[in-house]
Amino acid sequence: MSHIVEGRTFEPDYLREGTRCCYLQLRFSQKKSLFAEIQIQDKDRMGTAGKVIKCKAAVLWEQKQPFSIEEIEVAPPKTKEVRIKILATGICRTDDHVIKGTMVSKFPVIVGHEATGIVESIGEGVTTVQPGDKVIPLFLPQCRECNACRNPDGNLCIRSDITGRGVLADGTTRFTCKGKPVYHFMNTSTFTEYTVVDESSVAKIDDAAPPEKVCLIGCGFSTGYGAAVKTGKVKPGSTCVVFGLGGVGLSVIMGCKSAGASRIIGIDLNKDKFEKAMAVGATECISPKDSTKPISEVLSEMTGNNVGYTFEVIGRLETMIDALASCHMNYGTSVVVGAPPSAKMLTYDPMLLFTGRTWKGCVFGGLKSRDDVPKLVTEFLAKKFDLDQLITHVLPFKKINEGFELLNSGQSDSSSSLLGTEHSSGHPGCRKE
């Protein structure tokens, strides 16, 4: 379904499959940039404020079924809510886990959580954004009131929907399709032309930011980059090792480089990933297949036992222990970035920690979403890092199912900031993340 705004027709244009994700961009039918043509000054400019909007969305009706492109109804935002027109959104491994049933969700549901959009209208009491603002929806909210938000080292806001509630703060959904309620996903739901989020789940960004690139900052890039600069606190001149060279792993490398690391070693079973890892900042790459020794011994010999930081960006229990063992036994820090498989227990030698190592985990790279996402966008515009390296494929939105096929076939790296899927070989670094 197309939309008419000030005499111009909007329609779904393309889906971009990247090293991290696929992007759905909504453009003018004339193929001109949205923001070059429209400056919305108030919530009535589009003529849709306060009204139900009918638009297209990719609905997941049940587990292990393909997406169905449907016409849905999107209700107006209620108090402290924001309705957003999605400009670019990405496929992520986390979305794929809903399809496979390994992540809790109610059905039918609209998934997607990595996006850029423009505020169409706002509910009563919203003060931080206004219609016309370019924004990034946030799967990790920042209410600025709970203990995690108030603590300078915390970021796991109490309003996060990690249990699959599928509704907004008042306990209801804003989506309907064929007369049935359709549930939200991770406070965002971006596989739709319009979505509604709580004010705590949206960050205003610079109008000059290209939506098809900065949507990566909504999940994967921030998760990896933040793991290095915020959670790991990489120091200049240090040696870093990154296990897993998918999109999030590449973002970790970018973070290590930005922090001033002098040596960055990438590890993956797939040597095809080495070229891109080197392009974004890795100084060298190795495969665990190339040695019969434990990877921790290989790294110790390579570096003269001087690995300061390791990052596990796979989500595999054995690799987490390998990464911990690979950092210096006394002053090394190992960060778990890839989410571990659910309902699994980890067994390790406590001497790995007793000697002085630090073992840390993080969600969204430890970043405070509403505070840090706009800063990262500004840094991107200042060319502090290059997101083009994280983009590989372009597909029409109607081929969203093909995008997930690429994801699962290995032709495109996983875009998940949280979960990974293990390859059959079982070697460290063999998961896409």
Side-chain angles (χ1 to χ4, degrees):
M1 179 177 180
S2 299
H3 300 282
I4 305 298
V5 178
E6 295 191 331
R8 298 186 184 274
T9 303
F10 290 89
E11 57 187 23
D13 184 48
Y14 66 79
L15 200 76
R16 174 170 293 183
E17 171 71 20
T19 295
R20 286 210 66 273
C21 52
C22 299
Y23 306 97
L24 156 66
Q25 180 156 357
L26 307 182
R27 289 183 169 182
F28 284 117
S29 56
Q30 297 98 320
K31 307 301 180 186
K32 295 181 180 178
S33 168
L34 173 64
F35 296 101
E37 298 292 328
I38 287 185
Q39 293 294 325
I40 301 176
Q41 301 298 329
D42 58 65
K43 70 178 183 179
D44 295 322
R45 183 73 177 271
M46 289 182 113
T48 51
K51 302 176 182 177
V52 171
I53 291 178
K54 291 184 178 181
C55 67
K56 280 188 176 180
V59 177
L60 196 60
W61 289 99
E62 56 184 301
Q63 294 177 6
K64 301 178 182 179
Q65 295 296 319
F67 289 95
S68 177
I69 305 299
E70 305 278 5
E71 180 179 278
I72 67 166
E73 295 182 337
V74 184
K78 295 184 179 181
T79 300
K80 303 292 286 184
E81 293 177 357
V82 179
R83 188 160 62 182
I84 302 169
K85 180 177 181 61
I86 298 297
L87 302 174
T89 186
I91 285 179
C92 175
R93 178 67 68 182
T94 306
D95 305 314
D96 189 55
H97 275 262
V98 176
I99 299 174
K100 290 182 169 62
T102 56
M103 185 171 183
V104 177
S105 177
K106 295 179 180 178
F107 291 88
V109 63
I110 297 173
V111 295
H113 63 281
E114 187 174 54
T116 308
I118 185 170
V119 176
E120 174 271 337
S121 60
I122 58 176
E124 183 180 352
V126 173
T127 59
T128 58
V129 296
Q130 61 184 1
D133 286 345
K134 190 180 286 189
V135 295
I136 290 179
L138 307 169
F139 78 88
L140 185 69
Q142 185 184 352
C143 70
R144 297 176 173 153
E145 298 172 353
C146 70
N147 289 339
C149 286
R150 291 167 63 88
N151 188 299
D153 295 323
N155 76 332
L156 192 57
C157 179
I158 194 173
R159 297 187 184 181
S160 303
D161 184 8
I162 58 177
T163 59
R165 295 191 309 272
V167 292
L168 297 184
D170 71 343
T172 63
T173 174
R174 302 294 167 268
F175 303 127
T176 56
C177 182
K178 300 178 181 179
K180 298 180 180 180
V182 178
Y183 291 100
H184 296 251
F185 177 67
M186 294 185 73
N187 306 291
T188 49
S189 291
T190 60
F191 290 170
T192 171
E193 292 181 284
Y194 287 88
T195 190
V196 178
V197 303
D198 291 316
E199 184 181 16
S200 60
S201 294
V202 64
K204 179 182 177 181
I205 62 172
D206 194 309
D207 281 344
E212 74 281 4
K213 296 182 181 180
V214 298
C215 70
L216 287 167
I217 295 174
C219 181
F221 174 77
S222 299
T223 295
Y225 191 85
V229 301
K230 179 68 181 290
T231 303
K233 295 180 172 58
V234 170
K235 295 179 180 178
S238 60
T239 296
C240 300
V241 178
V242 181
F243 289 75
L245 301 179
V248 181
L250 296 180
S251 301
V252 173
I253 291 173
M254 291 181 185
C256 293
K257 180 180 178 180
S258 176
S262 61
R263 193 172 184 184
I264 306 171
I265 303 171
I267 300 179
D268 205 292
L269 291 182
N270 185 353
K271 293 185 178 182
D272 291 339
K273 297 181 179 181
F274 290 0
E275 181 179 358
K276 185 159 289 188
M278 298 287 285
V280 300
T283 55
E284 57 213 290
C285 295
I286 61 174
S287 169
K289 288 182 177 179
D290 292 339
S291 176
T292 57
K293 297 179 181 180
I295 192 65
S296 58
E297 289 186 19
V298 173
L299 291 167
S300 179
E301 293 174 0
M302 286 178 61
T303 64
N305 191 29
N306 192 33
V307 175
Y309 304 88
T310 61
F311 299 87
E312 202 279 354
V313 201
I314 300 168
R316 184 171 175 271
L317 300 184
E318 293 86 349
T319 318
M320 292 176 186
I321 297 175
D322 284 340
L324 178 63
S326 296
C327 67
H328 193 276
M329 65 183 296
N330 180 236
Y331 55 78
T333 295
S334 186
V335 181
V336 176
V337 186
S342 60
K344 297 290 184 179
M345 298 298 291
L346 181 66
T347 301
Y348 66 96
D349 183 352
M351 286 299 292
L352 290 172
L353 295 178
F354 179 75
T355 55
R357 291 180 178 91
T358 299
W359 205 5
K360 308 175 75 173
C362 63
V363 175
F364 199 58
L367 301 174
K368 290 185 180 292
S369 56
R370 286 166 70 182
D371 293 342
D372 291 327
V373 162
K375 295 176 184 177
L376 287 176
V377 171
T378 299
E379 290 178 3
F380 166 75
L381 293 174
K383 302 186 184 304
K384 187 172 181 179
F385 48 81
D386 180 15
L387 295 175
D388 287 341
Q389 295 290 341
L390 306 181
I391 298 170
T392 57
H393 296 81
V394 178
L395 296 170
F397 179 57
K398 64 183 179 181
K399 294 185 178 180
I400 186 171
N401 288 304
E402 184 177 323
F404 277 87
E405 290 172 3
L406 284 170
L407 183 72
N408 289 310
S409 69
Q411 296 181 56
S412 170
D413 290 328
S414 164
S415 62
S416 173
S417 59
L418 302 175
L419 302 172
T421 302
E422 185 176 345
H423 286 288
S424 59
S425 60
H427 288 282
C430 67
R431 288 237 215 139
K432 297 171 294 181
E433 178 64 21

